[in-house]
Amino acid sequence: RGRVPIIRCPRGGAAEMVAQQLEKALRDHVAARGSMFSDAHGFGGPSSRPILVIFERNFDLAAALQHAWTYAPLVHDVLGMRLNRVDITQGSSALDAAAGKKSYDLEDNDPFWTANDDAQFPKVAEEVENELAAYKKAIAEVNAQTSLGEDDGDMASNTQKLVSAVASLPELQERKKFIDKHTNIATALLGHIKNRGLDEYYALEEDLLAGKGDKVAVTALLQATGRGTPEDKLRLAIIYAMTHQGDDAMSPADAEALEGALRASGADAAALGFVQRMAKLNQSLANSAPQTGHKAGGAAGGDSESNLLDYAERLYGQSLSAVAKGVKSLLSSDRQLAIARATEALMRNEADSYECEEFAWYDAKSPQSTNGAVPHGVVGNGSTNEHAMVFVMGGGNYLEAESVRAIATKGSEGDDVMGAGGVSSLRDRPGAGGSLVWAFWKK
């Protein structure tokens, strides 16, 4: 049985409303007999209990919009993976598509998926080729063992080798299934990357979110013919608008030019207009609200390279490794997503942390509800939270799951991050997206 979590969330929105109702439900459950929590009537400081962090989707809207460059987010966003299943259509004609449609399950029992789901795409292509080479080598060894003649040693030794070779065949067949699956998935991704220029969108969006993107590059990509779908261009434009607010806000002429470029590409600019209106509203509210003196941590980013996947003239007819060797990996950004940054701050529980001081606190085990107020003396008291769960209202995504899992790599004792739940993507119709839950703890 688990322990009663301490609920943390941003103040004043839907997340806090859910936190209030959840605290009430947990308080009633803890007071009743037969509680599912092992510490329902016991003691234990806040640091020995997990924290449940609840976010709204608009806490970091950019994470839901930006293009990805790692395997699982790409499969989810580009190929429409749903409920851990992805459909791949092979062939260009309607007849080929009907005959070549294949469905693949991507579960924890897939060793390649679990080992490479957060790897950058060129690395995935290399790993597919490495697995294929290892498989071919193993098959050659089996063939060599089964072709031994009477003059190649004593009968007992040859028999033992033959038995060993036969016994290895089922495992080799299973490996081949995984190799074929990920070869087809990687090839399908490769086609989308080439046709839509997804590497360019990823690199430019990373620059924008790291504070380095410029209007000329954005305008050029929005106006480029054959580089991205209208949805790709809309996502880029919204991220550009979101990263140019306050003192760096776009001029009316720039905003009109951005909308014009979107309409010319066939995209619906209504969503961009909504984001711009919400940004102005948030700015006016921020200017009228009292300042707390705290500010959320900034984002750091590494250098990005553009136009790194020029696959034209050399996409098909070559192995994945040939393609991977001919391109450079986009440099991984050190930028930490907002949800992961806030969760890590709450776990560290440092005195100067904005999140620790300003996020609401709800504890179903306290004698009386604090109505969201942080109890005196619990922030910056030297204790840390080693257990956490993250819940995103409105749907999380694999990009955020990766960022949350990356918290584990910072621990000196080898933290482990576990994830489970449903994810939503831009393919989902409004209201159909699930919510993503991540639970993680230190080993």
Side-chain angles (χ1 to χ4, degrees):
R1 296 192 295 175
R3 288 169 289 179
V4 182
I6 296 169
I7 306 170
R8 305 299 304 269
C9 63
R11 296 181 185 275
E16 186 170 18
M17 297 172 64
V18 171
Q20 292 169 347
Q21 294 299 315
L22 181 58
E23 183 205 35
K24 182 178 182 301
L26 288 176
R27 188 178 294 277
D28 293 341
H29 177 78
V30 168
R33 292 185 177 181
S35 172
M36 65 180 178
F37 297 108
S38 59
D39 64 340
H41 304 290
F43 297 95
S47 63
S48 66
R49 293 159 54 197
I51 57 172
L52 169 60
V53 193
I54 304 176
F55 296 99
E56 297 175 57
R57 177 62 275 168
N58 61 3
F59 183 82
D60 184 14
L61 185 58
L65 295 171
Q66 70 179 108
H67 292 81
W69 193 237
T70 48
Y71 196 30
L74 273 173
V75 173
H76 181 240
D77 181 28
V78 176
L79 301 182
M81 179 173 64
R82 190 172 182 83
L83 299 177
N84 290 72
R85 171 166 289 193
V86 60
D87 296 326
I88 303 296
T89 301
Q90 299 173 330
S92 56
S93 68
L95 184 61
D96 290 339
K101 183 175 180 179
K102 294 184 178 180
S103 296
Y104 298 108
D105 292 323
L106 297 169
E107 305 281 0
D108 290 342
N109 62 357
D110 183 337
F112 188 92
W113 176 252
T114 56
N116 297 283
D117 60 348
D118 58 353
Q120 292 193 3
F121 179 72
K123 179 64 175 176
V124 173
E126 292 179 12
E127 289 300 316
V128 169
E129 289 297 322
N130 291 339
E131 288 291 327
L132 183 58
Y135 168 79
K136 290 180 178 179
K137 181 180 178 181
I139 287 293
E141 292 175 354
V142 169
N143 291 337
Q145 290 175 349
T146 57
S147 62
L148 292 173
E150 294 181 358
D151 298 331
D152 295 323
D154 63 275
M155 182 63 69
S157 177
N158 289 344
T159 301
Q160 181 62 35
K161 291 179 179 179
L162 181 59
V163 171
S164 175
V166 172
S168 66
L169 288 177
E171 187 269 338
L172 290 174
Q173 291 175 340
E174 191 69 12
R175 284 173 59 184
K176 187 60 165 59
K177 285 171 54 180
F178 290 129
I179 292 170
D180 290 343
K181 174 202 299 187
H182 290 284
T183 298
N184 290 337
I185 292 174
T187 302
L189 285 175
L190 206 56
H192 283 279
I193 291 170
K194 168 188 172 290
N195 295 330
R196 294 165 56 183
L198 297 182
D199 57 311
E200 299 177 51
Y201 284 93
Y202 168 79
L204 185 51
E205 288 165 1
E206 281 294 318
D207 281 347
L208 289 171
L209 293 167
K212 299 187 298 181
D214 59 71
K215 179 180 68 175
V216 174
V218 171
T219 303
L221 189 52
L222 291 178
Q223 294 177 344
T225 303
R227 302 301 285 173
T229 65
E231 182 187 274
D232 292 326
K233 296 180 185 294
L234 177 60
R235 291 162 67 174
L236 174 61
I238 291 177
I239 290 176
Y240 179 77
M242 293 175 62
T243 54
H244 288 75
Q245 300 179 15
D247 296 336
D248 196 29
M250 291 184 293
S251 67
D254 287 343
E256 184 176 350
L258 192 67
E259 291 186 15
L262 275 181
R263 287 193 292 268
S265 71
D268 186 350
L272 175 63
F274 173 79
V275 170
Q276 291 174 322
R277 291 192 295 273
M278 290 301 298
K280 292 179 181 178
L281 175 61
N282 290 338
Q283 185 64 37
S284 64
L285 292 175
N287 292 337
S288 62
Q291 299 297 315
T292 63
H294 292 284
K295 193 170 183 179
D303 293 335
S304 296
E305 296 182 41
S306 62
N307 195 27
L308 298 183
L309 284 182
D310 185 13
Y311 288 125
E313 307 298 331
R314 59 191 176 108
L315 174 62
Y316 297 108
Q318 295 190 36
S319 67
L320 286 173
S321 65
V323 176
K325 290 177 182 177
V327 302
K328 300 176 183 177
S329 297
L330 287 164
L331 297 180
S332 177
S333 172
D334 293 330
R335 184 177 58 83
Q336 189 179 34
L337 296 186
I339 284 176
R341 185 169 63 246
T343 301
E344 184 176 19
L346 291 171
M347 295 181 72
R348 290 183 180 276
N349 192 33
E350 295 175 345
D352 60 348
S353 167
Y354 169 87
E355 289 83 2
C356 291
E357 292 284 358
E358 299 300 328
F359 272 42
W361 173 295
Y362 291 94
D363 184 2
K365 285 188 64 178
S366 63
Q368 291 182 337
S369 175
T370 62
N371 294 320
V374 180
H376 178 71
V378 299
V379 174
N381 61 4
S383 64
T384 59
N385 293 97
E386 296 186 347
H387 312 266
M389 295 170 285
V390 182
F391 185 86
V392 183
M393 298 172 55
N397 58 40
Y398 282 95
L399 198 61
E400 290 170 316
E402 283 183 2
S403 188
V404 170
R405 284 201 302 264
I407 298 174
T409 64
K410 298 182 180 182
S412 59
E413 300 179 0
D415 303 12
D416 189 21
V417 177
M418 305 296 293
V423 292
S424 64
S425 73
L426 296 178
R427 292 168 174 261
D428 295 327
R429 60 181 174 81
S435 294
L436 181 60
V437 180
W438 301 293
F440 58 98
W441 55 87
K442 289 185 177 180
K443 280 183 177 178

